[in-house]
Amino acid sequence: MSGHQNLDVLIVGAGFSGVYQLHKLRKAGFSVKLFEAGSNLGGIWHWNCYPGARVDTDFSMYQLSLEELWRDWNWVEKYPGRQEIIKYFDYVDRKLGVSRDISFNTRVTSASFNTTTNRWSVFTDTGITVNPHFLILCTGFASKPLFPNIPGLDNFQGTVHHTSLWPQAGVDMAGKRVGIIGTGASGVQVIQEVGPIAAHLTVFQRTPNLALPMNQSLVDVATQTKMKEEMYPILFRRRFQTTIGFQYDHINRGASDLSPEERYLLFNDLWSKGGFHYIVGSCNDITSNEKVNAEMYAFWRKKVLERIRDPEMQRKLAPEKPPHPFGVKRHSLEQSYYEVFNQSNVALIDLNENPIIEVVPNGVKTRDGVVHEFDVLVLATGFDAVTGSISQIDIKGTDGVSIGDKWKKGLSTYLGMSVAGYPNMFFPYGPHGPTAFCNGPTCVELQGDWIIDCITYLRQHNYARIDPTQEASEDWVQRVTDLFSQGLYLHAKSWYTGANVPGKRIEALNFVGGLPLYTTLIQESARGGYAGFTLTPDTSIQAKL
């Protein structure tokens, strides 16, 4: 692709969302291309190739609902690993042929809107420039790595990698002295893989991860063949009826309405199912009722302590006092995480008690004066999540202000898919959407279909521009904030609020009202002729999108 191209739509990002929208927009007759910074499909799964990378959603929910895809595809594991997901994307490409309209190794660096032509000018690091009528940012919620601000990090003479920028060829850690900074999802997964093979592993923990049992298993072809006869379509429809887009949902009663015996039996049953059942399948007041929340933590702690032998490890990994309310930070799913800390070659350093002072050429120095020597240093320090994926691109709206600068004053969107002053731009699975509180494929299909329907409506009714109103945006921000404040979420330092990024404004970044409410709200706008937006007619001679 060279020169200036007047596309109908440019999509940025080739994960689930980008691939889905590219396929559907092509079928709808739009001229559309996709730019992807990586060398292949997969989005976050292309980049996150660290040891143990695995999805936390069971196979039936973690795929696109297009029958031409699921009919001939079979999964191997209940919770697929990164390699299996990459194979799935390769299969999707063979079926849908999406790669022919994708420019790989092409990173979008900036974009600006032309109010005369009602088109975007989009610039890339390869020199390619295009002028699409619509810009759809399928950049996900976790594409901007967050690096720790530790003095001397650049001086380390061993191997150092962030989990989200892991070398595609891998890193040999067998028999090595390994340090891992961070115990979020990627940290938990790397620890499980590296602990058994490293000569020595040191984990630096700021906040204990209240991880839940994955209950991993293999899935056979016969089971999936049977599911495809009737169950799959039912599951795919069911997703949109539940709070976070799974096949199961909260119980529509408060835990405080149950007797202590009922609560115990419920907790025990949910725990035995594994996955997110313990938190997602429980009562509807667990993240708002502090007493019930504390009881859930106590049950979790009892289960975890049974697996940890050393009292000091028990204190650090499952403290008597909860580090934060249960369920208000993203829970990781684990298989052998706690058993790793029973190994004699594994050490755990609580950074609240003994913080890192600096990185030295041969390792990490902590406040007690000890230099922990490493061959490999793993930075499992997460992301500037939700907003960072978009704000890292220099996108200027009608007033010439970069979206990153605009959001520094406070996040503002409408319907969690658009921003006032940035016309003809949409983003699924991003800020103020259900994003962190929704199964990925469910969310990208719901929002993706809405965006495609919207663009189709504009084409049919000869509109050249769509832009959210300031009033509608302010109302949406207030709604998101009010819903978020009903829970205990602000009692935790988490990427749900941007609190994990030094200097970032603390605010609600996600819509937590559940998928049914969110669906109702966005469809109300659509049925009202896209209420909350200003639609500008195309007065040009060639009145076509």
Side-chain angles (χ1 to χ4, degrees):
M1 187 185 299
S2 61
H4 299 265
Q5 291 206 359
N6 292 328
L7 298 167
D8 289 336
V9 183
L10 176 70
I11 299 170
V12 182
F16 276 99
S17 183
V19 167
Y20 182 77
Q21 295 223 25
L22 175 57
H23 172 65
K24 299 279 284 207
L25 284 165
R26 288 194 315 198
K27 289 186 67 174
F30 291 96
S31 62
V32 54
K33 297 292 181 183
L34 187 153
F35 288 170
E36 164 58 45
S39 60
N40 211 334
L41 300 177
I44 193 170
W45 295 109
H46 168 76
W47 298 102
N48 285 255
C49 56
Y50 58 83
R54 183 176 302 281
V55 71
D56 57 10
T57 302
D58 78 67
F59 70 96
S60 63
M61 293 288 98
Y62 206 73
Q63 59 183 319
L64 295 174
S65 67
L66 303 172
E67 185 172 355
E68 60 262 47
L69 295 179
W70 59 256
R71 179 61 64 186
D72 298 323
W73 175 261
N74 290 298
W75 297 94
V76 176
E77 293 183 303
K78 182 178 180 181
Y79 294 94
R82 184 259 179 185
Q83 283 300 110
E84 190 173 4
I85 296 171
I86 291 299
K87 288 179 181 178
Y88 174 74
F89 273 99
D90 290 341
Y91 164 80
V92 169
D93 195 20
R94 291 196 302 273
K95 282 283 190 176
L96 305 182
V98 291
S99 285
R100 70 174 182 266
D101 288 311
I102 299 177
S103 292
F104 292 106
N105 301 305
T106 304
R107 182 178 295 276
V108 171
T109 55
S110 63
S112 58
F113 189 77
N114 187 317
T115 56
T116 301
T117 63
N118 290 318
R119 286 183 175 272
W120 284 93
S121 294
V122 182
F123 304 90
T124 68
D125 62 354
T126 63
I128 295 175
T129 303
V130 293
N131 302 109
H133 204 143
F134 294 94
L135 177 61
I136 303 180
L137 302 170
C138 296
T139 48
F141 75 89
S143 62
K144 184 181 180 181
L146 180 64
F147 287 85
N149 184 21
I150 303 175
L153 186 58
D154 293 338
N155 297 328
F156 183 62
Q157 294 180 352
T159 300
V160 57
H161 293 292
H162 193 286
T163 48
S164 71
L165 297 173
W166 204 257
Q168 295 291 322
V171 177
D172 182 12
M173 291 185 279
K176 303 289 182 65
R177 300 167 299 173
V178 181
I180 298 179
I181 300 176
T183 55
S186 61
V188 167
Q189 292 177 334
V190 175
I191 288 164
Q192 291 179 138
E193 297 295 316
V194 175
I197 65 171
H200 192 273
L201 171 64
T202 302
V203 177
F204 296 90
Q205 170 188 280
R206 183 184 64 186
T207 306
N209 193 316
L210 310 187
L212 299 171
M214 177 174 282
N215 286 13
Q216 176 69 299
S217 64
L218 298 178
V219 287
D220 58 58
V221 173
T223 297
Q224 294 174 77
T225 300
K226 182 68 175 176
M227 292 177 70
K228 291 172 185 177
E229 294 176 4
E230 183 177 30
M231 184 65 71
Y232 264 22
I234 292 172
L235 290 175
F236 291 137
R237 292 194 300 271
R238 173 60 177 158
R239 297 179 308 170
F240 300 114
Q241 302 168 3
T242 64
T243 304
I244 68 169
F246 282 173
Q247 69 272 45
Y248 56 89
D249 205 358
H250 291 300
I251 299 169
N252 195 26
R253 335 176 32 180
S256 56
D257 297 329
L258 306 178
S259 69
E261 293 76 17
E262 285 179 300
R263 285 198 298 273
Y264 178 87
L265 292 173
L266 173 63
F267 292 169
N268 199 61
D269 178 60
L270 294 172
W271 186 269
S272 68
K273 291 179 179 179
F276 288 121
H277 281 275
Y278 185 67
I279 187 74
V280 175
S282 193
C283 297
N284 60 14
D285 61 347
I286 57 172
T287 57
S288 59
N289 185 315
E290 292 188 42
K291 182 179 179 181
V292 169
N293 191 277
E295 193 171 333
M296 284 202 77
Y297 176 81
F299 185 95
W300 170 88
R301 180 171 181 263
K302 181 178 182 295
K303 290 290 188 180
V304 168
L305 291 180
E306 293 171 355
R307 297 166 57 188
I308 307 170
R309 293 196 295 264
D310 181 70
E312 187 65 8
M313 289 291 190
Q314 290 181 335
R315 182 183 69 82
K316 293 177 180 178
L317 292 167
E320 184 175 356
K321 181 180 178 182
H324 52 75
F326 201 81
V328 300
K329 290 183 72 169
R330 182 64 172 252
H331 290 272
S332 298
L333 300 189
E334 57 82 27
Q335 300 179 71
S336 59
Y337 179 65
Y338 295 105
E339 283 75 12
V340 168
F341 293 96
N342 291 329
Q343 298 176 198
S344 60
N345 68 325
V346 177
L348 177 61
I349 296 176
D350 186 337
L351 294 177
N352 298 294
E353 300 171 351
N354 190 19
I356 294 172
I357 299 301
E358 63 177 331
V359 175
V360 294
N362 61 334
V364 173
K365 184 178 181 180
T366 46
R367 188 170 63 184
D368 59 5
V370 174
V371 173
H372 306 269
E373 296 187 354
F374 301 123
D375 303 303
V376 181
L377 187 58
V378 179
L379 306 178
T381 48
F383 303 88
D384 179 356
V386 188
T387 55
S389 302
I390 294 174
S391 63
Q392 66 180 330
I393 306 173
D394 183 19
I395 303 172
K396 290 185 170 65
T398 54
D399 59 0
V401 175
S402 174
I403 198 165
D405 291 335
K406 178 183 177 70
W407 283 347
K408 284 179 181 177
K409 301 175 183 178
L411 178 58
S412 176
T413 78
Y414 180 51
L415 303 181
M417 290 185 282
S418 59
V419 181
Y422 297 78
N424 297 2
M425 184 182 83
F426 299 99
F427 45 86
Y429 210 47
H432 281 172
T435 311
F437 294 80
C438 184
N439 173 39
T442 305
C443 190
V444 303
E445 288 193 20
L446 173 66
Q447 293 181 308
D449 286 341
W450 188 94
I451 292 168
I452 294 164
D453 288 345
C454 177
I455 294 175
T456 301
Y457 176 91
L458 299 175
R459 176 174 63 180
Q460 292 172 342
H461 293 81
N462 194 30
Y463 287 110
R465 187 196 301 186
I466 182 170
D467 194 7
T469 67
Q470 190 61 40
E471 181 181 6
S473 300
E474 291 173 359
D475 288 345
W476 184 257
V477 172
Q478 191 61 54
R479 181 186 291 272
V480 170
T481 302
D482 290 346
L483 286 168
F484 196 78
S485 64
Q486 291 173 14
L488 302 171
Y489 301 105
L490 291 171
H491 293 259
K493 185 177 181 181
S494 107
W495 59 265
Y496 286 173
T497 63
N500 64 312
V501 181
K504 189 171 181 177
R505 182 186 176 97
I506 308 299
E507 57 189 332
L509 301 181
N510 299 273
F511 180 93
V512 299
L515 218 53
L517 175 59
Y518 182 77
T519 302
T520 296
L521 295 172
I522 64 175
Q523 294 303 339
E524 282 179 355
S525 170
R527 286 193 298 269
Y530 294 91
F533 292 92
T534 298
L535 277 57
T536 305
D538 188 345
T539 57
S540 65
I541 297 175
Q542 295 182 341
K544 293 182 180 180
L545 297 185

